[in-house]
Structures are given as C-alpha cells and as structure tokens.
Amino acid sequence: MGTDDDHRPERSAKELVWAALDGFRPGDIAAVKAVLAMVRDEGPHLTETDDELTELIVTAASAKELFVEFNLHQ
C-alpha cells in the first residue's frame, strides 16, 4: 500500500533549493556542498547539473541575505 507521499508531484530544483535553505537566517553561511547534497537527496529525479544547482543556491541565498561558502572541491 502506498502513502500520500506516493502521489505528491515531484518538486522542482528551485523548490528544493528554497526548502533546503528554509532554516537559514540572514547572515548565516550556506555551504554549497551541503545544500547541494540536501537537494540531491530530496530530488534524485532532478536533471540539473551541479553548476545549475549552484546558480540556484547562490540566487536563493542572496535573496535570503546569506553568505555563500563555495566549498565544492574540498
């Protein structure tokens, strides 16, 4: 038997990025690597590249007045 979650439409990359940043407050630091991992975990259906998701993360973080840590290659 399925749950209601089985019938929920897949969320877009933009929605998943905003959801990942939901608990952040202005002035917090959003690490791209961590946010990217959260988005990938919640959205295995996404076809966006890491670069495209990073752009969405930076845009959303800027709108929320967050600092962005570019740590993808660490």
Side-chain angles (χ1 to χ4, degrees):
M1 282 211 209
T3 63
D4 288 337
D5 289 341
D6 293 338
H7 302 291
R8 185 177 58 199
E10 292 180 335
R11 293 162 60 185
S12 71
K14 184 176 181 179
E15 291 171 325
L16 290 172
V17 166
W18 278 91
L21 295 175
D22 189 46
F24 289 80
R25 299 170 72 175
D28 285 349
I29 299 170
V32 171
K33 189 174 186 177
V35 176
L36 191 57
M38 286 188 270
V39 171
R40 289 284 184 215
D41 286 345
E42 292 294 319
H45 62 280
L46 296 177
T47 59
E48 286 82 359
T49 66
D50 285 354
D51 287 343
E52 291 169 325
L53 290 174
T54 298
E55 184 176 342
L56 289 173
I57 292 166
V58 170
T59 300
S62 295
K64 292 181 63 80
E65 299 179 1
L66 306 176
F67 293 100
V68 179
E69 178 182 4
F70 293 94
N71 59 341
L72 280 176
H73 300 291
Q74 291 182 350

